[in-house]
Amino acid sequence: GVDALEGLGGILNDLVEDADGWRLLCTATTVAGRPHEHVLRMPPLPLPSARQPLEGPALELLLARVAAAGGHSVDLEQHDALLRRLLGASGGLPSLIEQLAVQIALIGVSDVSPAASLAEAVRRSYDLLDSAQQQCFRRLALIGRPVGLDVLADVCGVGRPQAVQLAAALARRSLVEVGPDGRFDMLPPMREVGCALAEATDDFEAGADLQGAEAERGGRAEERREDREHVDDLADRAMGASAQQGLEGGADQLDPAL
């Protein structure tokens, strides 16, 4: 990502001097907060299904990071099932795939257990949430399927404006996905942690009471599209605020592991 790229200043100077007009496309875990910056939130990498060949960008990233960490080459045929399980546990999130790659480089594919490391990464992000955001995360995990903003508001016992802010906080830390239809969902690693955290709370009862709420409300596709745009906008602004605070405070890392 751009936040780990050395010599970026020199590259930008060359671009300014040699081109009349230019645009810079880069990846990062935070935003710069500049006036003309345009943020595109990237979805998880696609994962091969059980019927597809073991290939694709997620596997390519894993193998590249294993090599970069000094690991031996991975036998794809011998470890086909295990690699599929590891990639599936990552949910396609690049940061989690890179963590798995480092473990593979250190101890080998056969000895890697993704559950502990992935759960730890999710819990670190969870610990940075306030109590209302944590409750929203747990209850959304219990529902077990995509839900609209109205259902999210009911689950959390808040109004729509507050639900948008809660969803934006979760989206900023990659704990929730906002689908093209404006509904909210979780990747498997997040959902498993959320359900485990809910066991010591009264969230199970609240989640069960609202399982059918989304179906009762009907489509509302236009409202869900507007909800998605609103959540994305709030999440991007929140990321910008975090970046500015980090710059002012001299923080080395502006966001959690996710």
Side-chain angles (χ1 to χ4, degrees), residues 59-73:
L59 178 65
E60 293 171 5
L61 175 62
L62 179 72
L63 298 179
R65 292 297 183 267
V66 170
H72 298 293
S73 60

Side-chain angles (χ1 to χ4, degrees), residues 7 23 31 64 81 88 96-97 109 119 152 164 168 177-178 186-187 193 217 235 248 250 253:
R23 294 181 180 181
V31 298
L96 298 186
I97 293 175
V109 179
L152 184 65
V164 169
E177 297 293 313
V178 187
M186 284 183 170
L187 296 172
V193 172
R217 293 183 182 275
E248 293 174 354
Q253 187 167 343

Side-chain angles (χ1 to χ4, degrees), residues 5 14 39-40 75 81 85 115 117 122 151 169 199 205 213 229 255:
L5 179 63
D14 293 340
V39 178
L40 298 175
D75 189 326
R85 183 171 66 85
S117 60
V122 176
V151 174
E199 291 180 357
E205 181 179 352
E229 294 174 353
D255 222 350

